[in-house]
Amino acid sequence: MTSTQARHTRRAVLQAAVDASARCAAADPDLFFRAENEPQITWQARRAEAIRFCTGCPTRAACEELALRAGDGNTRVDDMVRGGLSGTELAAARTAQAERLTTAAAADRDTEGRQLDDLTVKLRTQASTSPDGRCNGGRIHQDENRAEQNRRIRALADQIRQIRTARRARAGWGVAA
Ligand code: SF4
């Protein structure tokens, strides 16, 4: 995915790309963050290493776009790397692309809202469907059907919870209750 493609891609797709291919998935997270009171000289060396690491990441463009939409980075605090950019570079890019990012974030919210509506309808449908089933001469496999229905309900509830958690986190509510 190029940076141009990432800009036109919805958040859920960007996140799926990062989840599937992030080079840092097995890396030490400390590589990307400055420790408290860490001297500038050691952070500069690690920051450069982190940026080099990101340069080889197959999902760098998606990661950068997610970081921009999430509001990562600060013009006054040089303490992180994400998507191949330092925190100060991310903040500068966010300012330069403010209008575009506002539109992208609004589109993401709309998409998530529709996803939530669809998932909620599916969940209600599953929950209100009788688990009883018949096959091979009319034998009822209630236990198997109930287990399968419960699995579907749990999967739908998980999807709903993940979307709500992400929305609340973006709104500054932290972890969803
Ligand atoms: S670009 Fe860097 S921070 Fe983003 S997923 Fe890849 S390695 Fe991780």
Side-chain angles (χ1 to χ4, degrees), residues 18 22-24 32 53-54 57 59-60 63 81-84:
V18 170
R23 192 182 178 202
C24 58
F32 301 89
F53 190 94
C54 289
C57 178
T59 191
R60 193 207 60 75
C63 180
V81 168
R82 190 174 168 200

Side-chain angles (χ1 to χ4, degrees), residues 17-159:
V18 170
D19 289 347
S21 314
R23 192 182 178 202
C24 58
D28 180 356
D30 288 347
L31 175 64
F32 301 89
F33 296 97
R34 185 177 186 172
E36 200 171 345
N37 300 322
E38 180 175 358
Q40 180 70 12
I41 185 113
T42 58
W43 165 239
Q44 269 181 357
R46 211 169 66 259
R47 185 184 62 197
E49 186 187 343
I51 289 172
R52 274 197 303 277
F53 190 94
C54 289
T55 302
C57 178
T59 191
R60 193 207 60 75
C63 180
E64 177 190 334
E65 180 64 17
L66 281 173
L68 292 174
R69 292 187 197 183
D72 280 354
N74 187 319
T75 48
R76 295 184 303 281
V77 184
D78 175 22
D79 64 353
M80 64 173 291
V81 168
R82 190 174 168 200
L85 297 178
S86 68
T88 49
E89 289 171 331
L90 283 169
R94 215 171 53 242
T95 301
Q97 302 173 37
E99 195 174 334
R100 178 189 76 76
L101 290 168
T102 300
T103 303
D108 285 342
R109 277 193 290 278
D110 286 351
T111 301
E112 286 179 341
R114 281 196 297 276
Q115 275 183 316
L116 274 176
D117 289 345
D118 289 347
L119 289 167
T120 302
V121 169
K122 284 181 186 169
L123 181 62
R124 284 187 183 141
T125 303
Q126 276 295 326
S128 63
T129 301
S130 168
D132 295 351
R134 292 172 185 278
C135 66
N136 295 338
R139 184 177 172 194
I140 299 172
H141 296 275
Q142 283 186 322
D143 290 347
E144 287 177 18
N145 290 342
R146 280 192 181 135
E148 175 59 19
Q149 185 180 30
N150 286 338
R151 189 195 63 72
R152 287 196 197 118
I153 288 172
R154 275 199 302 275
L156 288 165
D158 274 351
Q159 285 179 272

